[in-house]
């Protein structure tokens, strides 16, 4: 069976679920974590150091659920996932080597007949066959950034 990733309900811990084990990785640390693929399986490691990001990722999200942050390199995708009123989960599509973050806005419990529930889902995809993913939690959000593989310039 393919392993998977889950995020705790408090959005502070990512779990790599592999071979009947749940291996925790803290998202609150200043270094963050790196997610990648090894022979088609998900891998997770604590980042040696956070990647350089030109955008100021510490700013509050102002209630936006998922916000794309401009980066100096058009190959790098940086997304800020708000955790103020949104719970995030993940799905790994092995066929397409894509890790999807799914966010659902806060859901209210109502008695029937009180009107429709407002539900909005946000989706953010990252292709793991093109690079790794950096992930870290700030005060009110989770920062997810693509880390494209470096092109091999060949041996000179």
């Amino acid at each position: 069976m393919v392993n998977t990733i889950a995020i705790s309900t408090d959005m502070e811990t990512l779990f790599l679920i592999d071979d009947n084990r749940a291996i925790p990785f803290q998202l609150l640390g200043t270094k963050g974590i790196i997610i990648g693929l090894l022979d088609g399986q998900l891998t997770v490691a604590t980042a040696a150091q956070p990647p350089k990001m030109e955008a100021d990722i510490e700013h509050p999200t102002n209630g936006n659920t998922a916000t794309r942050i401009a980066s100096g390199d058009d190959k790098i995708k940086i997304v800020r996932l708000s955790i103020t009123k949104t719970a995030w989960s993940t799905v790994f599509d092995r066929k397409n080597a894509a890790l999807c973050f799914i966010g659902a806005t806060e859901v209210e419990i109502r008695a029937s007949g009180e009107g429709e529930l407002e539900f909005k889902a946000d989706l953010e995809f990252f292709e793991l066959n093109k690079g790794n993913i950096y992930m870290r939690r700030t005060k009110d959000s989770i920062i997810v950034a693509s880390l494209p593989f470096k092109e091999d310039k060949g041996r000179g």
Side-chain angles (χ1 to χ4, degrees):
M1 182 177 157
V2 178
N3 61 4
T4 191
I5 287 176
I7 303 172
S8 64
T9 55
D10 61 7
M11 304 285 120
E12 293 181 2
T13 308
L14 178 135
F15 294 95
L16 174 64
I17 302 170
D18 184 53
D19 198 23
N20 296 319
R21 296 174 296 168
I23 305 163
F25 291 87
Q26 294 302 311
L27 294 173
L28 282 170
T30 57
K31 291 182 180 180
I33 61 171
I34 304 291
I35 302 169
L37 284 181
L38 181 62
D39 198 24
Q41 294 275 25
L42 290 167
T43 59
V44 181
T46 302
Q49 62 185 14
K52 293 180 182 177
M53 291 187 218
E54 295 174 13
D56 188 355
I57 62 173
E58 297 295 335
H59 284 303
T61 59
N62 297 325
N64 294 334
T65 307
T67 306
R68 291 198 180 197
I69 301 170
S71 69
D73 184 345
D74 61 348
K75 293 181 182 179
I76 297 175
K77 174 181 176 181
I78 304 172
V79 179
R80 183 188 337 221
L81 307 174
S82 173
I83 59 172
T84 305
K85 291 186 177 182
T86 305
W88 292 92
S89 60
T90 60
V91 173
F92 176 59
D93 178 2
R94 183 176 182 178
K95 180 181 175 187
N96 295 309
L99 185 61
C100 177
F101 291 86
I102 304 168
T105 56
E106 195 169 339
V107 177
E108 298 176 29
I109 305 295
R110 298 184 194 176
S112 61
E114 289 186 21
E116 292 185 32
L117 294 177
E118 184 177 325
F119 176 78
K120 180 184 175 218
D122 277 310
L123 301 171
E124 289 294 338
F125 288 90
F126 289 84
E127 297 176 83
L128 292 173
N129 56 356
K130 295 184 178 181
N132 296 319
I133 297 172
Y134 171 77
M135 194 171 167
R136 175 171 73 88
R137 178 168 163 193
T138 63
K139 295 175 186 169
D140 72 341
S141 60
I142 295 174
I143 303 301
V144 185
S146 63
L147 302 173
F149 296 132
K150 294 181 181 174
E151 294 181 24
D152 185 10
K153 307 274 187 197
R155 296 181 189 215

